[in-house]
């Protein structure tokens, strides 16, 4: 089970350490750091490694490296999910992303949180709202509150009962709740423009500012889209199984309500892409061309399109012509980036050009790929719609809204 | 200089901090504590502040108190003496009105790892279990493993607590209770029986971490309770699974290949199988959890289904696992490892989704290689072309490591699928000129393996390769080609000499490994085709003779002497044996870890056995009848309540709490009572004969706790279980056991709540019994010594002995070993039997039809007549299995001692370590009152061993301490005897003499007491209980009294009489009277 947690910065220095069962020496961290910096393995070191007869599970987020040292065998995903929760709770409590700076500012709080989240070796309270009640007040260190704090957090019976994700007596004015349906399109496109594989990975995130204990029901036009779905704890599984509607008491603030995966797309992928890339042996050059076009069927506009081509080390002197947008070449990372702020409708745009290979060395066998990013507001690729959203137990006027965004996920063009 | 200065300022800072901490101003104190906690989080050494901090624990300011708790939590064990000062504050806080504070105080107190306070924590935990707040109860549950870690002596109390917590109906508590169960008594599955259905239905409402624990536990539990559903998969279905889509899988494992052979057998079994409703319940109630956002929960559900669900229902988990592979890299990594393990067994499950495992360029290497290995497993006719196309793209990657993996996969696929073999060979051939040596080498190796499989079909490849020798420069590739040419030179008789000719020209410029291969090729050609190559070879040998490298010179000399030297005495056939021997076909390394680890463990990911790794129990061959679970009414209740729930599901907890206790039904009690009556007859019959003990072996196999056996044990049981019909006695035995349970229940029915508690207590008793049984079986080798005990006739139950003989003669097919074990078992059982018993026994065994009447006879006669078998609880001496060490259990043996005055203690030693333990012995100096056992020179992993230790307790109940050492460690041990164990049982005693002696002892030497608790017990049970606690002899009495006698260490006799509800004890040793009466009263109370 989990013995210790270390958080390192990008330089390998320990920012925070927490031990639940005895103390783990720092040697293991030194050893680990050697391992991860060896031959630039930062990316390729598996998330679970064995060092000095201990198991280390690590993951990186916001430029911090979270390390769990474990001595007993248990579910590997338990460690990973626990770390995810730690990061989630941190960002809720720091009201900003847990970066090195924000973590250092909040060290005592972070330490106390970690103490509450795990008892002995067993994760216990990982819900932000419940944690807020347990320690939220403790850390406000203005003298006035100190003198009078003979009381500290209380747990409402509902939280202990069945709703650990929501506190009692929440008050908001105005009362509002907004949902964002964010669909990411993963696709691999051949150079001819043919789609090799595609899928939609989507999530519904929610920003809730409602008073009291409201119960929400949400009905979709086509629940079969949500066949492969993961729910937030607050969603009543019984009701979903029986009636295919969502029934839940939302947590307060921002949270991810559900996520789903679907292979079915209602429309074509809205952005047509094709292109080619060749390494020329004689000239020691790479020649390429990329074409983008908005599909006619799309009514909405596509914004912030970018095409990124990671090239071989040592490439230089790009010579490029484009019909629209701007091209940048980063000579540190050897990445070529084409950015288009606004896609024109009805006509295709293209980028054409060449890049020099270094004078020595082999001609690469592998062609690069183009990673394409874009986002379309107001479009839902899967065709999911919210047909009804009911909020009970709340008499006041409520602002509610659902917004759809489709964007690229892992969207690559293979030359 | 500057360093010294820094130190100074640090010291100054510390002084300032101490001043703050000891200030009267709460704000300052708070500031100080915050700084301190901040320092702790950065790993600073803050032990020096301990005295200042510990004073603050009594602070009335809760915010400060909380920070103090955090400090103590981490540092108390480093300064136990000072930490003890804070204990009273914790105890006070535990009475606080606020549930958070109660929980916090318990949690922090239990986190202080100071063994001396384990008793206090235990007391608090016992209170907390009945707390009104589920949060506090959960904290109590989590405190249990901590107490267990501090002090193993509390095990029994802790198990009681666990079983009390398991009764809790709050989903929050269940997770904690099961976590405690897993830590304290992971194999006492009988505790779960009555809660199984409840846990299933509460699963959805548990918090995510609780769900993980619960699923893990239920999986292990179910593996002991239900039969393997896949054994009964209809053959049609399995055919369908295999041939579905006609993409016959070439990597199917043995288990699948066995299928057709067993099909017939299964066909006959097929109609019999109906899935246990509880089995179904578990499977269906975990399915909704696949929708959890917590990937660990999803993965655990998948594991559960992988191990428990019928094959046809596995699609669900395939889908869920594929979805996990879309998450961030670490989750993806674990999900892919899981899929890799599953697809090894059921490739068909994922083969339609093979596209999901196509490698994307930006992915990290560990994901790519996993995906490759999965793709290789999924290959079939339907997807082989698409896969080859993908692989063709992969081998172009810039990542050498990945290319090598891709080449290996390609080789494997090509070797199994002849459709793509040519394509693959072409791709591989192109790679020979790859800039990376490793890639080129790897591709040649793959080509070599492919060619060796079927060289005749691929002569064109062979020829092409020989042409490559002009182009390829990479030495390892060149040498591999040369090896191939040499190996198959007889198949290309025209080309091979030409290759040698070319190489002779360039010989001087070749690298050493190529030169060696040229020599190798030359010698093979010389043997096969002497005419054409003799001169060439001579030339090459001469060149080598003057080579700069002495390996080459050496080889050349060696070959010359063997082959060319006319004096060589070896004839050609021998030379051919040396140079042209047939090479075995290469093996594709399928990465087949022979020892597959259970899914959902770190061990499975890392492919190393880690400490704390638990094997899954094997399915039983026959599902044990589990009345407790079947009688638990939860399922029904739940349905009712779920209707209510649908209306107001938010209030589900309160509703659950309102639900009536499980066994409220009066009728239920009556029924089970009458049922047990008839059973107990046959039960007592089987008690009397030791034949029934062999039966009882199989009983425990089919009983509740088969999971607790080590592998060998259960194997033996199942063997004996299927032995013959004469074993039917076993069933009746278990019947009687449950009969006594139910009568227990009846006793306490006035108080239903505590009733179920004591019920489960007795359940656990049977558990430890079977446990001990398995112990004695596994160590049967060391038992030959103890066999002599039974031979000496010390077992007054001579009847029992003969009984076992008769059993043997009845049983035609009885194995010798089996009967031996029966005898050996006697050494652990106390037998009380008279001649009449032997008679009934004979009847029972000889003629089963008269069984019932003879049994009736037994039950009509005096209770004492029936023999009583008592299990002595096994106690733990050393338990290190969690850290992977040696477990030692002991039991005070009641066999006559070889050393007068010394009590024999039977030790059960098991090595749970991964390494052998050497030279296990009592550490020097051995105390005077101990006679040690023979040192154990070597104990292999998982090996068990039994031995006997003699201790002279000197008639005192004081604990005896000693140390057990092995080569690697030293452990402190303590054995505390109970009063009853210090007694010595006479071999026989006459009733007249008994009455005579008792009449002499009166006044101070006698004690008479009324015991209310006696009324509710049957004499049989009283006897059992008394014999359990004390080593006494039961005197055959003509009256309706129970009479027991024993001798103390100082040769005083102790006489015990129980007459209806009066307990009287007579002895000249008044102190002993006092002690014994206390023990007896305690024993009979429960």
């Amino acid at each position: 089970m989990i013995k210790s947690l270390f958080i390192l910065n990008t330089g390998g220095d320990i920012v925070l350490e927490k031990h639940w069962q005895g103390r783990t020496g720092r040697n293991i961290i030194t050893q680990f750091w050697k391992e991860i910096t060896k031959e630039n393995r930062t990316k390729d070191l598996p998330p679970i490694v064995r060092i000095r007869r201990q198991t280390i599970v690590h993951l990186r987020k916001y430029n911090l490296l979270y390390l769990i040292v474990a001595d007993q065998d248990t579910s590997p995903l338990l460690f990973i999910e626990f770390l995810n929760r730690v990061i989630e709770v941190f960002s809720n409590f720091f009201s900003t992303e847990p970066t090195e700076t924000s973590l250092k500012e909040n060290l005592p709080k972070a330490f106390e949180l970690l103490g509450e989240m795990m008892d002995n070796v067993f994760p216990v309270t990982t819900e932000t709202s419940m944690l807020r009640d347990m320690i939220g007040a403790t850390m406000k260190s203005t003298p006035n509150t100190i003198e009078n704090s003979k009381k500290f957090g209380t747990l409402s019976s509902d939280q202990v009962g069945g709703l650990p994700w929501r506190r009692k007596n929440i008050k908001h004015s105005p009362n509002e709740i907004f949902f964002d349906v964010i669909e990411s399109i993963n696709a691999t496109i051949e150079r001819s423009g043919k789609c090799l594989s595609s899928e939609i990975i989507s999530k519904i995130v929610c920003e809730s500012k409602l008073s009291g204990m409201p119960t929400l029901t949400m009905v979709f036009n086509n629940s079969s889209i949500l066949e492969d779905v993961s729910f937030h704890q607050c969603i009543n599984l019984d009701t979903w199984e029986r009636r295919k509607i969502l029934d839940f008491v939302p947590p307060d603030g921002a949270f991810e309500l559900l996520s789903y995966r679907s292979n079915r797309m209602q429309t074509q992928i809205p952005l047509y892409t094709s292109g080619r890339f060749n390494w020329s042996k004689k000239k020691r050059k790479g020649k390429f061309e990329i074409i983008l076009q908005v599909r006619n069927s799309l009514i909405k506009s596509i914004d912030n399109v970018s095409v990124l081509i990671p090239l071989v080390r040592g490439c230089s002197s790009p010579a490029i012509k484009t019909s629209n947008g701007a091209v940048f070449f980063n000579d540190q990372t050897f990445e070529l980036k084409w950015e288009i702020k606004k896609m024109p409708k009805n006509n295709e745009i293209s980028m054409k050009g060449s890049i020099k290979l270094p004078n020595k060395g082999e001609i690469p066998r592998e062609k690069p790929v183009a990673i394409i990013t874009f986002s379309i507001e107001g479009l839902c690729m899967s065709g999911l719609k919210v047909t009804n959203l009911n909020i009970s137990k709340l008499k006041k006027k409520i602002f509610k809204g659902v917004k759809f965004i489709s964007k690229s996920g892992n969207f690559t063009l293979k030359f | 200089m500057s360093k010294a200065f820094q130190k100074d300022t640090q010291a100054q800072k510390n002084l300032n901090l101490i001043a703050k901490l000891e200030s009267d101003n709460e704000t300052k104190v708070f500031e100080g504590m915050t700084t301190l906690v901040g320092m702790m989080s950065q790993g600073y050494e803050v032990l020096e502040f301990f005295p200042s901090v510990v004073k603050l624990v009594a602070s009335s300011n809760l915010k400060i108190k909380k920070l103090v708790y955090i400090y103590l939590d981490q540092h108390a064990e480093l300064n136990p003496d000072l930490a003890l000062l804070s204990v009273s504050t914790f105890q006070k806080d535990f009475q606080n009105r606020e549930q958070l504070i109660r929980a916090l105080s318990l949690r922090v107190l239990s986190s202080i790892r100071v063994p001396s306070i384990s008793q206090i924590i235990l007391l608090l935990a016992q209170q907390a279990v009945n707390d009104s707040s589920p949060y506090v109860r959960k904290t109590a549950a989590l405190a249990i493993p901590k107490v267990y870690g501090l002090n193993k002596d509390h095990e029994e109390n802790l198990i009681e607590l666990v079983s009390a917590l398991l009764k809790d109906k709050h989903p929050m508590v269940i997770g904690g209770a099961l976590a405690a169960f897993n830590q304290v008594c992971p194999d006492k599955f009988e505790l779960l029986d009555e809660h199984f259905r409840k846990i299933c239905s509460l699963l959805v409402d548990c918090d995510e971490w609780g769900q993980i624990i619960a699923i893990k536990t239920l999986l292990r539990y179910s593996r002991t309770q239900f039969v393997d559903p896949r054994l009964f998969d209809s053959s049609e279905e399995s055919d369908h699974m295999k041939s579905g889509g006609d993409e016959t899988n070439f990597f199917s494992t043995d288990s699948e290949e066995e299928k057709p052979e067993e099909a017939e057998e299964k066909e006959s079994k097929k109609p019999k199988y109906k899935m246990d409703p509880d089995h179904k319940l578990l499977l269906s109630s975990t399915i909704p959890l696949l929708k959890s956002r917590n990937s660990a929960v999803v993965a655990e559900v998948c594991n559960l289904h992988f191990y428990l669900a019928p094959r046809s229902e596995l699609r669900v988990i395939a889908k869920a696992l594929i979805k996990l592979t879309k998450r961030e890299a670490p989750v993806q990594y674990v999900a892919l490892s899981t899929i890799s393990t599953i697809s090894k067994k059921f490739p068909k499950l994922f083969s339609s989704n093979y596209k999901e495992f196509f490698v994307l360029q930006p992915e990290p290497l560990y994901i790519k290689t996993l995906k490759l290995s999965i793709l290789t497993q999924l290959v079939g006719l339907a997807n082989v072309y698409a896969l080859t196309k993908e692989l063709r793209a992969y081998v172009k990657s810039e990542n050498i490591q990945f290319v090598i993996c891709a080449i290996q996969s390609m080789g494997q696929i090509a070797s199994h699928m002849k459709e793509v073999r040519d394509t693959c060979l072409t791709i591989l051939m192109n790679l020979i000129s790859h800039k990376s040596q490793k890639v080129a080498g790897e591709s040649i190796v793959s080509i070599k393996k492919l060619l060796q499989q079927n060289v005749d079909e691929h002569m064109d490849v062979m020829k092409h390769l020989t042409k490559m020798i002009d182009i390829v420069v990479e030495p390892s590739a060149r040498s591999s080609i040369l090896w191939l040419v040499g190996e198959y030179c007889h198949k290309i008789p025209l080309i091979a000499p030409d290759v040698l000719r070319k190489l002779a020209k360039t010989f001087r410029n070749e690298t050493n490994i190529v030169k060696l291969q040229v020599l190798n090729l030359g010698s093979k050609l010389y043997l096969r085709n002497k005419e054409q190559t003799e001169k060439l070879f001579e030339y090459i040998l001469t060149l080598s003779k003057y080579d700069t490298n002495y390996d080459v010179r050496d080889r050349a000399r060696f070959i010359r002497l063997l082959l060319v030297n006319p004096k060589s005495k070896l004839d050609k056939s021998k030379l051919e044996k040396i140079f042209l021997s047939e090479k075995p076909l290469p093996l594709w390394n399928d990465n087949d870890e022979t020892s597959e680890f259970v899914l959902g463990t770190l061990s499975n990911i890392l492919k190393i056995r880690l400490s704390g790794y638990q094997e899954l129990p094997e399915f039983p061959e026959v599902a044990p009848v589990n009345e407790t679970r079947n009688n638990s009414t939860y399922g029904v209740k739940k349905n009712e309540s779920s209707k209510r729930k649908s209306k107001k599901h938010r209030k589900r907890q309160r509703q659950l709490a309102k639900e009536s206790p499980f066994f409220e039904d009066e009728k239920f009690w009556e029924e089970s009572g009458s049922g047990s009556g008839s059973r107990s007859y046959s039960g007592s019959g089987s008690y009397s004969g030791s034949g029934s003990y062999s039966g009882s072996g199989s009983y425990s196999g089919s009983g509740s706790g088969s999971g607790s056996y080590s592998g060998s044990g259960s194997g033996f049981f199942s063997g004996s279980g299927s032995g013959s019909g004469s074993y039917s006695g076993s069933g009746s035995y278990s019947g009687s056991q449950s009969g006594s349970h139910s009568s227990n229940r009846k006793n306490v029915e006035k108080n239903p709540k505590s009733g179920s508690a004591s019920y489960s207590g007795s359940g656990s008793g049977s558990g430890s019994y079977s446990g001990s049984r398995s112990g004695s079986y596994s160590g049967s080798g060391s038992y030959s010594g103890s066999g002599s005990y039974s031979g000496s006739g010390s077992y007054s139950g001579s009847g029992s002995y003969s009984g076992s003989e008769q059993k043997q003669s009845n049983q035609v097919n009885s194995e010798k070993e089996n009967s031996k074990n029966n005898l050996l078992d006697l050494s652990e059982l106390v037998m009380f039997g008279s001649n009449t018993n032997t008679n009934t026994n004979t009847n029972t065994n000889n003629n089963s039809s008269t069984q019932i009447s003879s049994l009736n006879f037994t039950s009509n006669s005096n209770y004492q007549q029936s023999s009583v078998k008592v299990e002595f609880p096994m106690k733990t001496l050393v338990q290190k299995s969690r850290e992977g060490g040696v477990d030692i259990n002991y039991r005070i043996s009641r066999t006559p001692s070889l050393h007068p005055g010394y009590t024999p203690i039977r030790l059960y030693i098991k090595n749970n370590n991964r390494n052998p333990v050497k030279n296990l012995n009592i550490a020097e100096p051995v105390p005077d009152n101990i006679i040690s056992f023979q040192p154990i020179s070597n104990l292999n992993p998982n090996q068990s061993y039994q031995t006997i230790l003699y201790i002279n307790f000197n008639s005192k109940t004081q604990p005896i301490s000693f140390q057990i050492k092995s080569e690697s460690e030293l452990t402190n041990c303590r054995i505390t005897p109970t009063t009853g164990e210090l007694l010595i049982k006479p071999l026989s005693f006459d009733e007249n003499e008994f009455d005579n002696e008792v009449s002499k002892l009166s006044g101070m030497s006698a004690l008479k007491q009324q015991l209310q608790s006696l009324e509710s017990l049957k004499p049989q049970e009283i006897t059992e209980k008394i014999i359990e606690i004390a080593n006494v002899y039961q005197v055959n009495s003509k009256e309706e009294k129970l009479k027991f006698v024993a001798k103390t260490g100082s040769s005083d006799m102790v006489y015990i009489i129980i007459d209806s509800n009066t307990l009287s004890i007579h002895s000249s040793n008044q102190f002993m009277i006092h002690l014994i009466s206390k023990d007896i009263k305690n024993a009979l109370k429960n």
Side-chain angles (χ1 to χ4, degrees), chain B residues 692-971:
Chain B
S692 68
Y693 292 120
S694 72
S696 73
S698 71
Y699 143 71
S700 49
S702 65
S704 54
S706 77
S708 60
Y709 299 135
S710 57
S712 67
S714 67
F716 171 73
F717 288 140
S718 61
S720 73
S722 59
S724 71
S726 61
Y727 274 95
S728 61
S730 70
S732 63
Y733 172 66
S734 69
S736 85
Q737 192 75 341
S738 70
S740 70
H741 285 332
S742 47
S743 58
N744 271 353
R745 276 190 247 160
K746 213 175 173 185
N747 292 329
V748 287
E749 66 168 286
K750 294 160 206 160
N751 185 353
K753 206 174 168 190
S754 70
S756 51
S758 80
Y759 163 67
S760 64
S762 65
S764 74
S766 80
S768 69
Y769 162 65
S770 54
S772 71
R773 180 56 47 90
S774 82
S776 67
Y777 276 133
S778 57
S780 68
S782 62
Y783 250 48
S784 54
S786 67
S788 67
Y789 295 140
S790 56
S792 74
S794 62
Y795 283 90
S796 57
S798 62
S800 68
Y801 188 79
S802 65
S804 88
E805 292 232 299
Q806 265 151 0
K807 186 86 184 172
Q808 244 174 314
S809 59
N810 281 350
Q811 216 174 297
V812 184
N813 290 331
S814 77
E815 286 163 311
K816 215 174 182 184
E817 193 190 11
N818 193 351
S819 61
K820 196 170 161 192
N821 276 316
N822 297 341
L823 292 182
L824 296 174
D825 264 337
L826 297 179
S827 61
E828 290 311 312
L829 300 167
V830 178
M831 299 292 307
F832 281 76
S834 63
N835 287 334
T836 46
N837 257 335
T838 321
N839 291 336
T840 48
N841 187 21
T842 325
N843 289 339
T844 329
N845 282 327
N846 284 343
N847 192 346
S848 60
S849 63
T850 60
Q851 195 170 17
I852 294 179
S853 61
S854 68
L855 291 168
N856 279 340
F857 163 65
T858 319
S859 57
N860 289 338
S861 64
N862 278 333
Y863 291 107
Q864 299 95 308
Q865 298 286 336
S866 58
S867 61
V868 175
K869 176 192 61 62
V870 172
E871 18 150 323
F872 307 123
M874 178 108 77
K875 292 180 186 167
T876 308
L877 193 60
V878 179
Q879 188 162 33
K880 288 242 169 119
S881 53
R882 265 170 227 300
E883 302 128 57
V886 177
D887 272 357
I888 305 180
N889 292 323
Y890 75 94
R891 167 189 293 164
I892 296 182
S893 177
R894 292 190 185 170
T895 50
S897 174
L898 292 176
H899 304 274
Y902 286 80
T903 312
I905 315 270
R906 188 172 287 276
L907 298 181
Y908 300 82
I909 305 167
K910 183 161 189 230
N911 181 8
N912 289 318
N913 206 332
R914 263 172 292 148
N915 308 317
V917 171
K918 294 211 156 81
N919 295 331
L920 195 74
N921 196 9
I922 306 268
E924 300 289 340
V926 180
D928 291 339
N929 45 7
I930 293 182
I931 297 176
S932 176
F933 49 90
Q934 285 284 316
I936 303 164
S937 57
N938 190 12
L939 198 61
N940 285 326
N942 284 327
Q943 194 187 345
S944 302
Y945 189 81
Q946 288 185 33
T947 187
I948 296 180
L949 178 75
Y950 293 91
I951 298 184
N952 186 355
F953 290 111
N954 207 9
S955 306
K956 286 177 187 142
T957 52
Q958 271 150 12
I960 303 289
S961 299
F962 56 96
Q963 290 181 310
I964 288 185
K965 73 163 182 354
S966 71
E967 213 156 57
S968 49
E969 57 184 339
L970 192 70
T971 319

Side-chain angles (χ1 to χ4, degrees), chain B residues 117-224:
Chain B
I117 60 165
S118 63
Q119 188 67 43
I120 299 170
I121 306 173
L122 182 68
L123 280 173
L124 286 194
Q126 275 163 344
Q127 286 178 42
V129 164
N130 299 320
D131 199 285
S132 60
S133 153
Y135 184 68
V136 177
R137 296 206 296 274
K138 181 183 182 178
T139 313
L142 294 174
I144 291 174
K146 299 187 224 172
V147 181
Y148 186 67
L150 283 181
N151 193 343
K152 300 265 186 303
D153 291 351
H154 298 308
E155 187 173 353
E156 280 170 36
N157 292 328
L158 292 175
I159 291 174
E160 251 171 54
L161 281 187
V162 170
S163 73
L165 279 164
L166 284 172
K167 288 191 180 48
D168 209 298
K169 291 188 197 69
H170 200 286
M172 194 185 222
V173 186
I174 286 297
L178 288 173
F181 172 86
N182 278 340
Q183 296 273 312
V184 179
C185 48
D187 294 324
K188 272 194 175 297
F189 289 122
E190 60 272 19
L191 288 184
L192 297 179
D193 284 340
E194 68 175 292
H195 308 298
F196 177 82
R197 291 176 188 173
K198 177 184 69 179
I199 298 172
C200 281
S201 57
L202 288 185
L203 208 50
V204 179
D205 297 329
C206 282
D207 66 304
E208 45 197 351
W209 314 111
Q211 285 169 348
I212 295 171
I213 298 279
I215 296 169
K216 264 189 185 304
T217 317
L218 289 180
L219 168 60
R220 283 179 43 250
Y221 172 80
S222 306
R223 289 282 283 207
T224 65

Side-chain angles (χ1 to χ4, degrees), chain A residues 19 73 75 81 134 231, chain B residues 66 74 135 291 295 300 603:
Chain A
H19 307 277
D73 201 341
S75 314
E81 286 290 349
M134 286 167 145
F231 287 137
Chain B
K66 188 115 193 268
Q74 201 125 88
Y135 184 68
K291 295 202 170 18
S295 61
E300 283 306 330
S603 305

Side-chain angles (χ1 to χ4, degrees), chain B residues 535-573:
Chain B
K535 287 262 164 65
L536 264 178
F537 191 46
E538 183 63 35
Y539 172 68
I540 289 167
L541 284 178
T542 319
L543 279 181
S544 319
K545 192 175 170 185
Y546 301 106
D547 200 272
T548 48
N549 181 289
Y550 48 76
D551 275 339
V552 178
R553 295 201 301 270
D554 214 36
R555 179 73 61 87
R557 193 173 304 131
F558 163 75
I559 289 172
R560 183 189 290 273
L561 282 175
L562 268 177
L563 282 177
V564 191
N565 190 0
K567 283 178 204 163
S568 167
K569 290 199 177 79
L570 294 167
D571 57 22
K572 205 182 170 199
S573 66

Side-chain angles (χ1 to χ4, degrees), chain A residues 185-387:
Chain A
I185 307 161
N186 289 350
T188 313
I189 314 284
E190 248 184 356
R191 62 179 165 192
S192 63
K194 196 181 141 201
C195 179
L196 285 177
S197 67
S198 66
E199 63 179 350
I200 309 171
I201 306 279
S202 318
K203 57 184 177 183
I204 299 183
V205 292
C206 175
E207 174 85 40
S208 146
K209 287 176 183 166
L210 298 175
S211 315
M213 281 280 171
T215 308
L216 275 70
T217 49
M218 199 183 222
V219 188
F220 299 103
N221 61 335
N222 182 0
S223 61
S224 68
I225 296 169
L226 299 181
E227 217 163 79
D228 200 354
V229 66
S230 306
F231 287 137
H232 188 273
Q233 212 185 342
C234 68
I235 292 171
N236 183 4
L237 288 173
D238 274 358
T239 329
W240 174 256
E241 294 295 334
R242 278 185 287 112
R243 294 164 55 201
K244 295 292 172 194
I245 59 173
L246 292 187
D247 169 19
F248 59 100
V249 178
D252 199 38
F255 67 99
E256 187 182 312
L257 184 68
L258 57 85
S259 65
Y260 59 94
R261 188 178 88 98
S262 166
N263 280 325
R264 288 177 291 177
M265 289 195 201
Q266 247 203 353
T267 54
Q268 274 182 310
I269 292 176
L271 190 68
Y272 168 84
T273 49
S274 69
R276 57 197 166 81
F277 192 108
N278 283 313
W279 293 111
S280 150
K281 236 180 207 178
K282 278 184 193 164
K283 294 181 183 164
R284 296 194 71 82
K285 261 187 183 175
K287 279 181 134 184
F288 54 85
E289 182 178 9
I290 293 175
I291 294 166
L292 301 177
Q293 190 177 8
V294 183
R295 299 256 190 219
N296 291 333
S297 52
L298 186 73
I299 306 155
K300 312 276 178 190
S301 65
I302 306 186
D303 299 329
N304 296 326
V305 180
S306 79
V307 180
L308 182 83
I309 310 179
L311 290 159
V312 205
R313 273 189 83 80
C315 281
S316 60
S317 329
I320 291 155
K321 267 191 211 163
T322 60
S323 59
N324 295 65
V327 180
F328 307 92
F329 180 70
N330 184 336
D331 55 4
Q332 299 297 311
T333 55
F334 305 101
E335 283 172 339
L336 195 72
K337 197 172 187 183
W338 179 27
E339 287 180 354
I340 307 110
K341 283 270 177 296
K342 194 101 186 166
M343 282 291 288
K345 288 206 168 181
N346 302 330
N347 47 344
E348 61 175 44
I349 61 169
S350 67
M351 171 175 75
K352 214 174 185 177
S354 66
I355 187 122
K356 260 191 186 161
L357 274 171
N359 288 330
K360 282 177 187 169
E362 285 257 335
I363 304 287
R365 289 164 163 269
E366 189 182 27
K367 288 175 185 175
V369 292
I371 300 160
I372 297 158
T373 50
F374 58 85
S375 69
I376 309 165
E377 290 205 9
L379 177 78
C380 180
M381 290 294 295
S382 63
L384 188 78
K385 274 178 192 139
V386 178
T387 49

Side-chain angles (χ1 to χ4, degrees), chain B residues 36 212 230 263 330 494 611 950 1020:
Chain B
L36 196 58
I212 295 171
R230 284 173 208 156
L494 293 176
S611 70
Y950 293 91
Q1020 172 95 19

